[in-house]
Amino acid sequence: MNDSTALNLINLAQKGDCRAREKLIKLYKPFIQKTSFNVCRRYLSWENDDELSIALIAFNEAISSYNHVKGASFFTFAYGLISQRLIDYFRSEVKHKHRPLSSFNAGEEMELSLVECAQAWENYRLQIEREELVQTILELDQRLSEYGTSLDELADICPKHRDAREKLVRVAKVLCSNVKLLHTLRKNKRLPAKELARVAKVSKRVLENGRKYIIALVVIMSEERFSVLKDFTGLGEQRKRGCCHAGQSHSG
Amino acid sequence: MPVKAIVAKVDQQNGVMVIITADRQFRCLPLPDAVPSIGTTIELHLQAEKMTVRGLLNTK
């Protein structure tokens, strides 16, 4: 099945066609399983693992909330949503594992085993998060190559001065908040310099010099799968404050 | 001033690594003795900005 057929099915499902929804879920069960495997890093079976149920629900949610106008492909969007829901699930499980310890009245040995279990679960969760971060960074490098740049090149051209960086961050935020400009960038893989210079009120020279740095920032800010890096670099602050960009990266 | 960074790439052949810092810099740095793996969060002291260094050198 190609992307346009999937898009047609998504449109039908969003209009209430249950058969289209079921067909999508049935066809993309392997995708759901593979995504869950990437997050959980272990083999999962439909019969025994709650993670797949969580992923299935997230996929169903992705069908309902996907908006192709935002630019991201459905599978990128679904991947992000499934990952997020699974991580939320792991976190809630960790909390759940901790809860009985304070109220547990059985023997000390049993309590110790619960502590060990919670510790092991926490270690497992950290390991999953680390592996996910590695995956995210590799995906970022791959995504940057689509725009003709790389992490190595960014290290060479990244502005050394804080003021210069902040100016380019501001430009990147302007670009992210403008759906039309963002769409043009994704389509042409080039900065819409003329329009961006006008909207962001900067000179074309600034854009030309910081072109690749801006693209890297936009990629990080506008795609849900890079949300870890967005938070780490403080680029997600605007969204937290409920600014104009709210919901951009969540809704595809 | 210390800054947190994520190791984004490790090039053992050339003895360098690329990091992404919390203040949005992409930097290429020499590998330390204990080579970090990709995704590791490290803390480092980056060189002061050029203008600051120049200012210090030119101050009588």
Side-chain angles (χ1 to χ4, degrees):
Chain A
M1 179 181 283
N2 58 34
D3 279 1
S4 62
T5 320
L7 210 56
N8 285 338
L9 282 173
I10 291 163
N11 281 333
L12 288 172
Q14 287 179 343
K15 285 172 187 163
D17 187 337
C18 296
R19 281 189 180 179
R21 189 178 290 270
E22 278 170 22
K23 192 174 178 185
L24 268 171
I25 292 173
K26 194 176 171 186
L27 279 168
Y28 291 107
K29 262 188 160 182
F31 167 78
I32 298 168
Q33 195 165 16
K34 194 179 168 208
T35 305
S36 308
F37 168 77
N38 280 344
V39 177
C40 302
R41 295 281 162 191
R42 68 183 178 88
Y43 175 76
L44 299 165
S45 73
W46 291 100
E47 292 77 24
N48 302 319
D49 292 302
D50 288 346
E51 286 87 342
L52 284 174
S53 306
I54 307 285
L56 198 65
I57 293 166
F59 185 81
N60 190 38
E61 195 186 330
I63 294 173
S64 302
S65 53
Y66 175 66
N67 183 355
H68 75 278
V69 179
K70 302 283 182 179
S73 85
F74 171 70
F75 298 102
T76 307
F77 178 61
Y79 186 98
L81 201 59
I82 292 171
S83 307
Q84 200 55 56
R85 293 290 176 269
L86 283 171
I87 291 166
D88 288 347
Y89 169 70
F90 293 141
R91 284 182 180 147
S92 69
E93 281 296 294
V94 169
K95 277 183 195 164
H96 179 70
K97 297 266 176 198
H98 276 293
R99 204 176 301 135
L101 289 178
S102 57
S103 56
F104 198 70
N105 292 322
E108 195 179 316
E109 196 176 314
M110 187 65 171
E111 204 165 298
L112 188 64
S113 107
L114 279 171
V115 172
E116 283 171 353
C117 183
Q119 186 61 50
W121 186 264
E122 181 65 11
N123 289 342
Y124 172 69
R125 191 184 63 77
L126 288 173
Q127 188 191 340
I128 293 288
E129 279 188 2
R130 222 173 4 245
E131 285 172 3
E132 194 183 87
L133 183 58
V134 172
Q135 186 65 31
T136 303
I137 291 167
L138 296 176
E139 280 178 17
L140 176 66
D141 206 17
Q142 167 69 28
R143 194 85 176 100
L144 290 173
S145 71
E146 292 171 22
Y147 289 91
T149 187
S150 64
L151 289 168
D152 292 310
E153 190 184 20
L154 284 168
D156 288 337
I157 60 167
C158 174
K160 298 286 181 288
H161 286 269
R162 193 175 57 240
D163 291 350
R165 283 199 305 278
E166 290 313 310
K167 183 184 262 187
L168 299 180
V169 167
R170 188 181 64 77
V171 173
K173 283 181 176 172
V174 168
L175 201 158
C176 277
S177 63
N178 187 316
V179 177
K180 193 179 161 194
L181 290 179
L182 193 59
H183 180 72
T184 310
L185 171 69
R186 284 177 175 159
K187 189 178 163 194
N188 302 334
K189 307 291 180 205
R190 291 178 64 183
L191 272 189
K194 194 177 171 187
E195 186 67 8
L196 184 57
R198 189 182 63 77
V199 176
K201 297 184 177 64
V202 288
S203 68
K204 277 190 185 172
R205 191 175 170 183
V206 169
L207 294 186
E208 186 50 42
N209 290 340
R211 183 169 52 95
K212 291 186 174 174
Y213 183 68
I214 294 171
I215 288 175
L217 294 178
V218 170
V219 167
I220 291 172
M221 280 195 280
S222 65
E223 296 188 27
E224 184 62 32
R225 57 183 162 159
F226 303 127
S227 59
V228 179
L229 294 174
K230 183 163 75 173
D231 291 341
F232 180 77
T233 51
L235 292 167
E237 281 169 8
Q238 245 193 358
R239 192 181 65 176
K240 281 174 191 164
R241 288 186 206 128
C243 229
C244 52
H245 184 41
Q248 176 80 28
S249 54
H250 278 296
S251 48
Chain B
M1 204 174 136
V3 61
K4 280 191 175 179
I6 291 177
V7 179
K9 196 168 186 177
V10 174
D11 183 353
Q12 296 220 358
Q13 208 170 6
N14 296 316
V16 291
M17 62 180 179
V18 177
I19 56 157
I20 302 173
T21 68
D23 60 353
R24 302 151 194 160
Q25 294 187 66
F26 294 83
R27 284 280 193 107
C28 188
L29 298 176
L31 278 176
D33 293 336
V35 180
S37 53
I38 298 177
T40 310
T41 305
I42 56 175
E43 194 171 84
L44 47 118
H45 293 262
L46 290 174
Q47 190 188 348
E49 286 185 7
K50 205 173 174 183
M51 287 296 281
T52 315
V53 176
R54 193 185 293 169
L56 287 172
L57 289 172
N58 292 339
T59 305
K60 287 180 184 175

